Amino acid sequence: MTTHIQDQILDRREITSALVRALERRHEVLDAVVDSKDHQEALTTVAELLGTSEANAEAVLSLKFSALTKAARDRIQGELENLDATLEWTALDRPASSGQNFGLRPFSDSAEDKSLFTIRSGEQLGEDGKPWSEDRIEAERTGGLGRIEDESAAWFVAEDVSGDSPKSVGLVFGELDGQEVNVAIWIAPESRKKGYGTACVKHSRRELAAEFPGTVLVVRAPA
């Protein structure tokens, strides 16, 4: 299964799971909504109650009363089971995939970002099949910074912000090519298979669409 398809199924699975939990706790959800002063407070309260994102809570608040019947609840539960059977892995296996407690910040010329880029570039092979030399790595980095400056590229550092201080877990490279933006994602070795690649895809869609409006994003599978 490709990363893009897995990502789409996972998104749908997260929404459907939130709907199932909301229906199971419908009385608590209704009380939370009635007690909220406005829509934003209802979103925040329901998201916390169900342990989900505000985007998924929005889907819960959009439920029609007809979805509260036993038949409708069984149908939604059945959809969740089908999605679980389709997925190669779920958010429980890779908790970072939800995109919560995660963010992208612009790549900079700092020593920290240079070090992260050097680690990533150490995994790249040249046409001769050998790892990039130090000169090649530095040329690629400065070239990228130049393209960022002239707005033909947008690079980001992926960060886990769940702790006391942000932890860099990978890099996202967006390179403008005509009306397309080629997107490459790299996750640091110690942070792989935790869902950060999927989180990068989710967040980079929004960030790169803002940087390059009207373009098509072509995403390469996370490493």
Side-chain angles (χ1 to χ4, degrees):
M1 185 187 301
T2 68
T3 298
H4 179 63
I5 294 174
Q6 168 86 13
D7 184 50
Q8 288 182 320
I9 297 174
L10 186 61
D11 283 346
R12 182 59 192 166
R13 193 266 177 199
E14 290 174 2
I15 293 174
T16 306
S17 180
L19 293 176
V20 168
R21 294 197 298 276
L23 292 171
E24 292 172 345
R25 306 178 64 179
R26 53 195 176 278
H27 301 297
E28 296 172 75
V29 171
L30 182 58
D31 285 344
V33 173
V34 171
D35 290 341
S36 297
K37 65 180 180 181
D38 55 28
H39 184 75
Q40 182 56 52
E41 183 176 310
L43 269 182
T44 301
T45 303
V46 170
E48 292 176 353
L49 178 65
L50 300 177
T52 191
S53 67
E54 289 193 1
N56 293 341
E58 185 70 68
V60 170
L61 294 184
S62 298
L63 275 173
K64 298 179 180 179
F65 282 114
S66 59
L68 300 180
T69 65
K70 290 182 178 179
R73 298 204 304 269
D74 288 344
R75 177 183 59 77
I76 295 173
Q77 178 64 52
E79 181 181 353
L80 177 61
E81 292 172 358
N82 289 336
L83 289 167
D84 281 344
T86 303
L87 286 169
E88 293 178 348
W89 46 264
T90 70
L92 291 176
D93 302 315
R94 302 185 183 185
S97 62
S98 68
Q100 299 183 66
N101 300 315
F102 178 90
L104 297 177
R105 65 168 175 79
F107 183 86
S108 71
D109 196 20
S110 69
E112 177 186 356
D113 291 0
K114 180 178 180 179
S115 176
L116 192 63
F117 184 81
T118 299
I119 295 172
R120 174 262 181 186
S121 299
E123 298 182 353
Q124 309 303 306
L125 300 178
E127 295 179 357
D128 58 2
K130 297 180 180 179
W132 286 0
S133 66
E134 292 184 5
D135 289 344
R136 169 73 183 275
I137 293 173
E138 182 58 16
E140 293 285 345
R141 188 183 71 88
T142 55
L145 289 171
R147 294 192 298 279
I148 293 170
E149 181 67 25
D150 65 25
E151 300 182 346
S152 62
W155 291 6
F156 300 94
V157 176
E159 294 183 326
D160 185 318
V161 296
S162 60
D164 295 332
S165 59
K167 173 188 175 184
S168 297
V169 296
L171 295 168
V172 176
F173 305 93
E175 298 283 345
L176 185 62
D177 182 12
Q179 292 302 306
E180 294 184 342
V181 178
N182 294 316
V183 185
I185 296 170
W186 173 81
I187 303 300
E190 69 276 9
S191 298
R192 291 173 186 167
K193 298 190 180 300
K194 298 179 181 179
Y196 290 117
T198 297
C200 282
V201 172
K202 291 180 178 180
H203 283 256
S204 64
R205 288 172 184 157
R206 179 176 62 251
E207 296 288 349
L208 291 170
E211 291 282 345
F212 306 110
T215 58
V216 177
L217 303 185
V218 182
V219 182
R220 282 188 266 162

